[in-house]
Amino acid sequence: MIDLALLERHGLTRDEYDRIVRTLGRAPNETELGIFSVMWSEHCSYKSSKVHLRRLPTRGPRVLQGPGENAGAVDIGDGLAAVFKIESHNHPSFIEPYQGAATGVGGIIRDIFTMGARPVALLNSLRFGPLDRPLTRRILEGVVAGIGGYGNSIGIPTIGGEVAFEPGYAGNPLVNVLCLGIARRDALVKGRAAGEGNPVYYVGAGTGRDGIHGATMASAEFDERSAEKRPAVQVGDPFMEKLLLEACLELMKTDALVGVQDMGAAGLTCSTSEMAARGGAGMEIDVALVPQRESGMTPYEIMLSESQERMLLVVKAGREAEVARIFEKWDLHAVKIGVVTGGGLLRVKDQGEDVAVAPTAALVDEAPVYERPMQEPAYLREVQALEPAMLTDARPPEAAFLALLETPAIASKRWIYRQYDHMVRTNTIVLAGMGAGVVRVKGTTRALAVSVDGNGRYGYLDPERGAMLAVAEAARNVACAGAVPIGATNCLNFGNPERPEIMWQFARAVDGITAACTALGIPITGGNVSLYNETDGRPIDPTPVLGVVGLIEHAERALGRVFRAAGSAIVLLGENFGELGGSEYLKTVQGLVRGRPPRLDLARARALQGLVAALAADGLIQSAHDCSDGGFAVALAECAFDSGGVGAVVDVAGASLEAPYDLAAATLFGESASRVIVSVDPAQLEATLACAAAAGVPARAIGETGGAHLIMAVDGVVAIDCALAEAERRWATGLDRFFAGRAA
């Protein structure tokens, strides 16, 4: 008789259990059941998403490593590779915000250095509930402290990111972390086992009971009992990770290493089975040899623990003394716990006795894959309808402008990023908050720009278009730094895939990413899927987050968002259609989340992306900033903030409205895509406009920098005339006011 409660605790269905029995030719014991449960969890197997992810474009002339390894890699010239990936730690960060976020940072750092790359930068994409709720503030404070505490301690700068606040994330925050590293192109390391008889080493921290069933927890919804899952949240030690990073990179400089993998989700189970499966080999280990920091641990607990700062290595036979010497130098455990075998079996022993035996292919490559039912959500047609009569707040444009500047979604994130060290290692070129993150590639003339972007409101209103816009915005932000986008990674955050409406949202979002990345020439090199982001049956908004990496040939040409001086010409690139659907103006001022997200002409988006990067490379523009949340008015203001008091006077053409909205509001606050504000030395204005015309990008000189005010006219009629100091004060204190009296 099958214990159905036992299967439920392991996140397995009866059909999946029967499949395990057929695979083994017998009923699994408890340890084998645990091993299959984590390897066949949504978190590890991607059993609901795999059929859709296959559509993503993953090839390109610069791609050195696509999906399937610990991280992706692209060629950046001079024999070097940029290695990068984004991961989520959403569920743990709700249950234990500090450790959940900290261990998310630690895990993504390990994914990068296992590839043989030295991590050089971190970014994060965060989503929380409304800030007027005490629970939101507690979670935000814990998450930010965890990100800063881990990244600062290990000495990797956090150079950028994004934060959003929406009711749908109140019970399920999102914590997505991207890490970028640099490696020698010819020295990339793979996570695979090979060579029968080669020793298998466990290195790093001891194994404890923290994190057991973490992968299973990440493959289930939240409910009122979620707080009981605290034991499934790992505890991080950044100082241990720093030692592990240096020891592994030192070993990788030798030829003693065959393969290496982080013990992340599913811990020792995942690393042993995946490394063996990738190499077409088997592996035999003895859990009695595993360093343990708690007494009386069972084989089940040791195999499923997700204790942090641990790696599994396969090294060449005869090189054991060299491995031991390097790790002893860094005061770390380096213990031989097994060997690579033939036959394709994972064999787990305890003091020489078999406690689990399973085919590695069954655990990794033959996990269930589901084509789940899909259905368009019933709410969609209604919320996509937006009529002018619904816009009942008639406040003047200047009042709406000030309200937008101080709303948490738009206000300065200085309260957050000042808790991060963004200058450590002295590679950072563009400071946090000043645009896309930019780091110098030491030893070359080059730099790398990185941006993470997404918009859950857009995803809620139209998941396919929302995903396309996320790709385009991340690429546009990288281009505004002066870079050519060369690769992308994604973190796909959705609700329960067993609901047809959620699966429909997911599939449409993948279609959007596929279309945008293909059109913009940006391959996906890897990423992460985070499903079951629901609490008490309420899903988050569909939130695909895109991380895009771009290459700047000459680091000194990197750009930020800020006007450099008075007397510069201001040019608007792109067209304004006055699209208010899904906009921050609609939400903040009108109290509505309705309409269709802005349209996206992918050919125009690619032309704009190439134009801005080329203008920067040729030294024709002084700054660049894209129009996104809050539209043109907010983008222009952000160009003036942090400038030391350089205001602006502009006159923009009224938007080409498709509905009779208020012209000033639609023009100033509509979020039409593919628009960039650039500042130009007047001597370069003619050349800049000529380049735009040649690229087929609409461009118009709209004013100049200078003065102590932000003055914005629409078709010659002044709509906003605001003192720069007052506007900047509202923007700078928008987050701080929620944390008055609290030390950052």
Side-chain angles (χ1 to χ4, degrees):
M1 187 71 179
I2 302 303
D3 185 343
L4 296 180
L6 178 65
L7 293 186
E8 184 178 356
R9 286 199 301 274
H10 283 82
L12 292 167
T13 66
R14 176 59 191 265
D15 287 344
E16 289 170 345
Y17 177 82
D18 291 342
R19 185 168 175 171
I20 294 168
V21 171
R22 291 194 299 272
T23 297
L24 297 178
R26 55 177 172 79
N29 61 36
E30 183 184 21
T31 301
E32 291 166 338
L33 188 67
I35 287 172
F36 272 98
S37 76
V38 292
M39 291 307 299
W40 286 11
S41 69
E42 191 73 59
H43 192 69
C44 291
S45 73
Y46 287 21
K47 57 190 175 186
S48 299
S49 59
K50 192 174 289 185
V51 294
H52 301 288
L53 297 177
R54 291 170 182 153
R55 299 197 292 274
L56 294 171
T58 59
R59 300 177 185 274
R62 290 184 180 270
V63 175
L64 302 174
Q65 178 61 59
E69 273 292 343
N70 291 304
V74 292
D75 190 341
I76 59 172
D78 289 325
L80 298 175
V83 179
F84 57 97
K85 189 182 181 185
I86 192 169
E87 281 275 7
S88 65
H89 234 219
N90 303 336
H91 288 64
S93 297
F94 175 75
I95 296 169
E96 191 64 59
Y98 184 95
Q99 291 297 346
T103 52
V105 173
I108 194 63
I109 290 171
R110 289 193 297 279
D111 282 343
I112 299 307
F113 73 74
T114 56
M115 296 289 294
R118 178 170 290 280
V120 297
L122 292 162
L123 293 90
N124 50 73
S125 176
L126 311 176
R127 301 289 187 282
F128 303 98
L131 265 180
D132 57 4
R133 302 184 187 182
L135 177 60
T136 296
R137 294 195 296 272
R138 181 184 71 80
I139 294 173
L140 172 61
E141 287 179 310
V143 165
V144 171
I147 291 171
Y150 208 102
N152 297 351
S153 297
I154 200 171
I156 300 172
T158 299
I159 62 171
E162 57 154 8
V163 189
F165 304 91
E166 298 283 352
Y169 305 110
N172 198 127
L174 301 185
V175 177
N176 296 176
V177 183
L178 181 149
C179 187
L180 168 71
I182 296 174
R184 294 201 325 271
R185 173 181 171 155
D186 61 357
L188 292 173
V189 178
K190 304 295 179 69
R192 60 190 61 190
E196 191 170 345
N198 278 336
V200 176
Y201 271 80
Y202 172 115
V203 301
T207 295
R209 290 187 171 89
D210 55 319
I212 294 174
H213 278 299
T216 308
M217 177 193 72
S219 305
E221 300 176 27
F222 281 159
D223 54 32
E224 69 278 0
R225 299 172 57 194
S226 294
E228 299 172 11
K229 299 176 181 178
R230 276 194 173 85
V233 178
Q234 312 95 318
V235 178
D237 180 351
F239 303 104
M240 172 70 76
E241 178 128 331
K242 173 63 173 174
L243 298 176
L244 191 59
L245 183 158
E246 298 298 344
C248 287
L249 290 180
E250 182 172 336
L251 179 62
M252 291 168 182
K253 291 178 181 177
T254 73
D255 65 347
L257 188 66
V258 175
V260 58
Q261 179 138 333
D262 165 41
M263 293 187 211
L268 193 54
T269 291
C270 188
S271 54
T272 52
S273 55
E274 285 192 351
M275 288 187 75
R278 286 192 193 115
M283 190 175 290
E284 179 181 299
I285 65 168
D286 194 320
V287 294
L289 301 175
V290 171
Q292 299 163 46
R293 52 181 168 79
E294 297 187 48
S295 61
M297 291 188 71
T298 65
Y300 179 99
E301 292 173 325
I302 293 169
M303 290 301 294
L304 270 64
S305 168
E306 293 184 10
S307 294
Q308 296 288 285
E309 293 85 40
R310 304 177 302 154
M311 313 285 282
L312 195 72
L313 311 179
V314 174
V315 301
K316 295 177 180 177
R319 307 292 291 275
E320 293 88 345
E322 190 173 349
V323 173
R325 185 169 62 252
I326 289 173
F327 282 90
E328 183 178 351
K329 168 187 170 182
W330 293 99
D331 197 25
L332 292 171
H333 290 297
V335 179
K336 179 182 174 182
I337 63 169
V339 294
V340 177
T341 63
L345 291 177
L346 173 63
R347 187 178 299 273
V348 181
K349 295 178 175 289
D350 184 12
Q351 298 185 9
E353 297 292 325
D354 285 350
V355 293
V357 180
T360 59
L363 292 170
V364 179
D365 302 319
E366 298 166 12
V369 176
Y370 297 124
E371 293 196 39
R372 299 204 184 269
M374 296 188 293
Q375 179 179 328
E376 180 178 306
Y379 74 82
L380 203 56
R381 305 267 177 187
E382 178 186 352
V383 300
Q384 286 181 345
L386 178 63
E387 301 297 331
M390 297 176 180
L391 279 60
T392 58
D393 191 308
R395 75 183 76 178
E398 187 167 319
F401 172 63
L402 293 174
L404 283 169
L405 291 180
E406 62 185 3
T407 194
I410 287 175
S412 169
K413 306 306 184 294
R414 190 177 295 122
W415 184 89
I416 293 173
Y417 65 70
R418 71 186 178 192
Q419 299 182 53
Y420 306 149
D421 188 339
H422 52 271
M423 290 298 294
V424 64
R425 303 190 66 83
T426 69
N427 290 331
T428 308
I429 296 175
V430 176
L431 300 181
M434 293 295 183
V438 181
V439 288
R440 181 180 293 104
V441 181
K442 286 189 173 176
T444 76
T445 63
R446 298 180 175 88
L448 295 171
V450 197
S451 183
V452 288
D453 289 283
N455 189 313
R457 272 201 315 279
Y458 288 174
Y460 170 75
L461 295 169
D462 187 330
E464 182 171 1
R465 190 179 289 185
M468 293 170 65
L469 288 163
V471 175
E473 183 175 357
R476 197 162 61 244
N477 283 333
V478 162
C480 284
V484 175
I486 58 174
T489 179
N490 57 51
C491 198
L492 308 180
N493 306 274
F494 289 79
N496 184 342
E498 297 167 49
R499 303 177 193 268
E501 297 81 4
I502 302 296
M503 206 64 242
W504 183 89
Q505 291 172 333
F506 183 89
R508 296 288 79 75
V510 171
D511 287 342
I513 294 170
T514 300
C517 284
T518 300
L520 298 179
I522 308 172
I524 296 286
T525 63
N528 176 65
V529 175
S530 176
L531 300 177
Y532 294 95
N533 288 288
E534 300 197 7
T535 300
D536 296 328
R538 294 189 299 273
I540 63 165
D541 292 339
T543 312
V545 173
L546 271 294
V548 170
V549 174
L551 182 64
I552 303 174
E553 287 292 338
H554 299 284
E556 71 275 8
R557 293 286 171 89
L559 298 177
R561 64 170 167 81
V562 175
F563 293 144
R564 293 185 185 177
S568 297
I570 301 173
V571 174
L572 177 62
L573 304 174
E575 290 184 281
N576 186 358
F577 299 103
E579 294 159 296
L580 291 173
S583 67
E584 191 64 38
Y585 167 82
L586 209 62
K587 178 201 167 191
T588 297
V589 177
Q590 302 291 341
L592 298 173
V593 177
R594 298 185 72 91
R596 293 287 300 273
R599 77 197 77 183
L600 180 64
D601 183 320
L602 288 168
R604 282 280 180 90
R606 181 163 186 161
L608 176 69
Q609 170 187 300
L611 170 65
V612 177
L615 291 173
D618 292 340
L620 292 177
I621 55 178
Q622 300 169 331
S623 67
H625 189 40
D626 80 310
C627 298
S628 57
D629 294 348
F632 170 83
V634 167
L636 182 74
E638 289 173 339
C639 293
F641 297 157
D642 297 313
S643 67
V646 179
V649 179
V650 300
D651 185 356
V652 294
S656 306
L657 299 182
E658 293 184 350
Y661 300 118
D662 177 83
L663 179 64
T667 301
L668 296 172
F669 309 124
E671 295 180 3
S672 295
S674 302
R675 292 182 297 155
V676 171
I677 297 170
V678 299
S679 62
V680 186
D681 185 309
Q684 303 290 355
L685 178 59
E686 185 177 342
T688 298
L689 295 175
C691 288
V697 175
R700 180 187 172 195
I702 59 173
E704 66 177 10
T705 64
H709 281 237
L710 290 169
I711 301 174
M712 305 180 211
V714 177
D715 291 332
V717 179
V718 173
I720 295 173
D721 184 349
C722 181
L724 176 59
E726 173 60 14
E728 187 161 4
R729 184 189 67 79
R730 298 279 192 108
W731 174 79
T733 59
L735 250 62
D736 296 35
R737 61 195 167 98
F738 290 98
F739 301 96
R742 299 173 186 228

